[in-house]
Amino acid sequence: MLGRTLREVSVALKQGQITPTELCRKCLSVIQKTKFLNAYITVSYEVALKQAEESEKRYKKGQSLGELDGIPVAVKDNFSTAGIETTCASNMLKGYIPPFNATVVQKLLDQGAVLMGKTNLDEFAMGSGSTDGAFGPVKNPWSYSKQYREQRRLRSPGERRGADEDWLIAGGSSGGSAAAVAAATCFAALGSDTGGSTRNPAAHCGLVGFKPSYGLVSRYGLIPLVNSMDVPGILTRCVDDAATVLGVLAGHDPKDSTTVQDPVKPFVLPSLTDVSKLCVGIPKEYLVPELSSEVRSLWSKAAGLFESAGAKVIDVSLPHTSYSIVCYHVLCTSEVASNMARFDGLEYGHRCDINESTEAMYAATRREGFNDVVRGRILSGNFFLLKENYENYFIKAQKVRRLIANDFVNVFNSGVDVVLTPTTLSEAVPFLEFIKEDNRTRSAQDDIFTQAANMAGVPAVSVPAGLSPQGLPIGLQFIAPAFGDQKLLTVAKWFEKQIQFPVTQLQELTEDCPSGFENDNSASVFLKQC
Amino acid sequence: MAAPILRWVGPGKRWALAWVDSSSSHRRVSPNGSASHRMREQRSVAQQSLHTAPKPRKGGHKWAAVVGLEVHAQISSNSKLFSGSQVSFAAPPNSLVSFFDASLPGTLPVLNRRCVEAAVMTGLALNCHINKKSLFDRKHYFYADLPAGYQITQQRLPIAVRGSLTYGVFVGNKRSHMATKTVRIKQIQLEQDSGKSLHDDLRSQTLIDLNRAGVGLLEMVLEPDLSCGEEAATVVRELQLILQALGTSKANMAEGQLRVDANISVHQPGEPLGIRTEVKNLNSIRFLARAIDHEIQRQISELESGGVILNETRSFDHRLGCTVPMRDKEGKQDYRFMPEPNLPPLVLYDTASLPVGVEPQQVINIDQIRDTLPELPRVTRERLVREYGMLPEHSFTLLNEVGLLQFFQSVMKETRAEPKKVTSWVLNVLLGYLKQHNLAVNESPITPSALAGLLDLLDSKAISSSAAKEVFEELWKGKAKTAAQIVSEKQLELMQDQEALEQLCQATMEGHPQVVTDMKTGNPKAINKLIGLVRKATLNRADPAVIKNILERLSA
């Protein structure tokens, strides 16, 4: 049951094969047993059970609220949740309990979804590995998968290292959300996506990671990283599930002036049978030397798949892609410097014990509350915003951003329906390898395929494209024109169907880890394709 | 607010503290601040309108002063600029604070339509060009009553630019002549107010009240076209009247709804402009004028004694009557302006550019706002002079006292008395009483109708003007009686009975033969004495002119 897709389990609930409370308890039990993944910062046991009971009452009365009623979901810990601690994985917000729900959280709850808890991330979503948070790194459930274990044994039979030493990163910054869905603790999770933070961990954890068009989904209550690029992201096991969740979340929010006014229809994806009218663009700038051969081969295989099904597959150019990273660095850090200014210890969050002067209190509070990554970005951002630097950095970066956005406009205006790219350079790497580079270098490398979509505000989705020879998932990314979300997901769904992403077997968890899925059949998770 | 997140505010002690308003929204404008740069750019154009500063030192050169103003007016609106919290003065601390106002992470600004309309309306009234597209920016600085660490303002592209304000000043030796002058308005921008810091020096604590945080402000930047405190005071008063007529701000300086900072420099005509200082904390028009004149004199004395003027921020100490440097611990301040990413550009329309099929409540039509502009003070004054033959200075007084014009107009509506009579009674008698008793017009115990009734009696010669004064005093005591009731109770009406009056005159003359003789020999005082005696006999109810006629006739 736990390995099913959201839609499948929704049908099961409707048919009474399982009750919302049973489902919730099962998920809570998996959360308990997979605690070592560190996917959750806060597990909302009581709230979840209460919501499940409410849901159960509705089902009994035949008054289900819809497809999400009774469905366990998880929410990244940078979305405000009324009455539930919201930390952004930062000491700064430890103990902070928001008095309101983010609009997207409220919309999920209004549909009867059951909130299992708040998931782990890089502090304030600054990172690409979910390794830089105040609550420790997130472990990729695939580290414990049968596929990966078997490949490892085959490759280095002599080695007897346990998973505890060479576990893989989950990707980030929404790594907790990705791990939560991948480890079958819930059926969908909210991430946030500023430079790839939803798509990157989705790719590493074998999930669908969807970043909607900027302005389609409300950011109210999402604790911002970069306001002009942040989008609530959706992590699910299949494309249809992402569309279902998007249908609930999308639409104008009077509390977010940057959401579009146009009414939004429910997102129902047609099953595409004929792709002959489809034009898929392959951006040549994305073929970088750092791209691993595994990803490269899956990418070209995917292009071939479209072509052989009759789609037009052409080379396209997004010429300003290479400037994306440096441009993002300036814009991101500048907005970070501004957004983080509110954390002064006065109104909420951490406050130091120093009270000699207001300034001394600010300084100590912020030094204690933020990690090095956050402080580093605040410092850079303030440098870029200085009067003497503003023209040379911020204004220039904004101009480059426009050029990057125009790259997409030009490609889509030339008749291309979707752009197909890798999501990441390679499959997930072991933590010990990942931390050899600093956060900034990692972010710069890992975001290169995903960031441009945030710059341009266009929708993008990462879909599992297969397993690497190591037995690890690899994702490919589709990008569509702004507000072409439905079309994007329709194409992604077609691709997903062709790929038949393999069943994921996580029962290795029970063997390798003492805290794993012992003696619990439900924990033998078989993820099926949709 | 659900959670008591504002920890520094302890209930119970709040009223024990004297509050120090350190809050003008750009309280630490430094040499680097935008404000100073604005001023500097404008200096070259300002020179043409310079005036000579008062009192050049003996043997010294003539000095010219250049004064520019920055005015912050709190917008009169039900809710704040970007949040739904109520706007109200003197509410209990932190009782009007939304999640956004307290800068809870994840909250977003939503622009208040009313504030935009107020800005457009004010811009139109000040002859500004209204920008159809304007932008919002973040201005960063750390201050305890600025919860987000930045203020949302309009630095790059404000909502209104290039306006002007016409004002009248008295000139001439006896200050009897009115001259019209104009000050240019550089721009009007929408921005957020900050909260208030309450410093408790005893406990060395600072308490924060966020009620005011996020209230909409109109920042009006005036070009440095002024030359002295009085001009500045007149301009601010005129601006106040305009804002009040528009209803866009209550503009009450004592309640902080209107705050003025002045940029002041002196130089010798023909020379480049001098270094300027900025004077803050000007919380009344009187202090504004005094502070500016003092600062001009201080700069002149400083320069004449070989000193230099520092580009600094000073505040006016109204007890000492002088400006003193403000301590500026942070020194150079860089506001690190950045576009506000959570607010799309503010787009306004006029009737010509209005998109088709759009709901009227979704857009703001500049032309529609222009059509609703009320009569502005200058026009009102011109109308008073034209319609009632009033002296210009009387029209100023009528407008300057809050509510006095309405009072005057209500009286005019109800009385048959001449406008000049009404003006005289309202400005001399009523206003005199109000001032004497320290009352505002709306606190007057005499209603416009009551005064109209009294003036009607006077106009129809039913009572004498001295009786009218007596009736006025009775009315002032406010016993809910009409003027007519008082007149009849006190028998104050003029004796209309000619025969009875003649008999009284005859009797008086008979009783005072010596005075009659004096009168006949041409002693001019004698007839006045007789008139007095007759009036006394009538209990002041006779018209002295009528008595005089009778007396003259009888003695002829």
Side-chain angles (χ1 to χ4, degrees), chain A residues 99-100 219 221-222 227 254-258 335 338-339 341-342 346-349 351 362 382 385-387 390 394, chain B residues 5-8 99 102-110 138 140 142-144 147-148 150 334 336-337 339 341-342 344:
Chain A
F100 65 99
R219 293 180 294 114
L222 165 62
N227 301 280
K255 291 173 183 158
D256 179 356
S257 307
T258 62
E335 282 200 37
S338 176
N339 287 330
R342 72 189 56 218
L346 251 68
E347 283 84 9
Y348 41 79
R351 186 192 296 178
Y362 286 159
N382 277 321
L385 289 177
L386 285 177
K387 201 181 171 79
Y390 187 74
F394 193 85
Chain B
I5 51 164
L6 298 166
R7 301 187 208 133
W8 278 13
F99 302 146
S103 80
L104 295 204
T107 54
L108 298 170
V110 179
R138 291 180 178 181
H140 300 88
F142 281 106
Y143 206 80
Y150 55 82
D334 188 324
R336 292 156 287 133
F337 283 101
N342 294 319

Side-chain angles (χ1 to χ4, degrees), chain B residues 329-360:
Chain B
K329 282 185 220 159
E330 290 161 57
K332 213 171 146 183
Q333 182 88 19
D334 188 324
Y335 291 119
R336 292 156 287 133
F337 283 101
M338 179 190 101
E340 166 56 66
N342 294 319
L343 289 167
L346 169 57
V347 178
L348 307 173
Y349 299 91
D350 55 23
T351 305
S353 66
L354 205 63
V356 216
V358 76
E359 298 272 322

Side-chain angles (χ1 to χ4, degrees), chain B residues 39 43 64-69 224 226-229 232 261-267 274-280 282 288-300 309-312 314 323:
Chain B
M39 303 299 299
R43 278 177 179 172
V66 178
V67 179
L69 300 177
L226 310 173
S227 63
C228 65
D261 302 329
N263 294 292
I264 300 156
S265 71
V266 300
H267 70 132
I275 309 278
R276 63 176 197 95
T277 59
E278 184 172 29
V279 181
K280 291 180 171 289
L282 304 169
L288 169 76
R290 278 173 56 194
I292 290 172
D293 286 338
H294 169 272
E295 180 59 17
I296 291 170
Q297 281 310 321
R298 187 193 68 84
Q299 290 189 11
I300 292 171
I309 304 301
L310 300 174
N311 185 325
E312 62 182 355
R314 303 176 69 89
T323 65

Side-chain angles (χ1 to χ4, degrees), chain A residues 291-315:
Chain A
L291 188 64
S292 73
S293 57
E294 295 89 346
V295 177
R296 189 175 166 172
S297 105
L298 276 176
W299 185 20
S300 77
K301 205 176 128 196
L305 204 66
F306 276 98
E307 203 161 40
S308 60
K312 195 170 145 198
V313 178
I314 57 165
D315 278 338

Side-chain angles (χ1 to χ4, degrees), chain B residues 5 112 140 252 298 318 327 357 365 372 395 418 452 470 493:
Chain B
I5 51 164
N112 180 345
H140 300 88
N252 182 338
R298 187 193 68 84
H318 60 86
R327 271 175 301 170
N365 182 342
T372 63
S395 70
E418 287 293 304
E470 203 178 326
E493 60 273 79

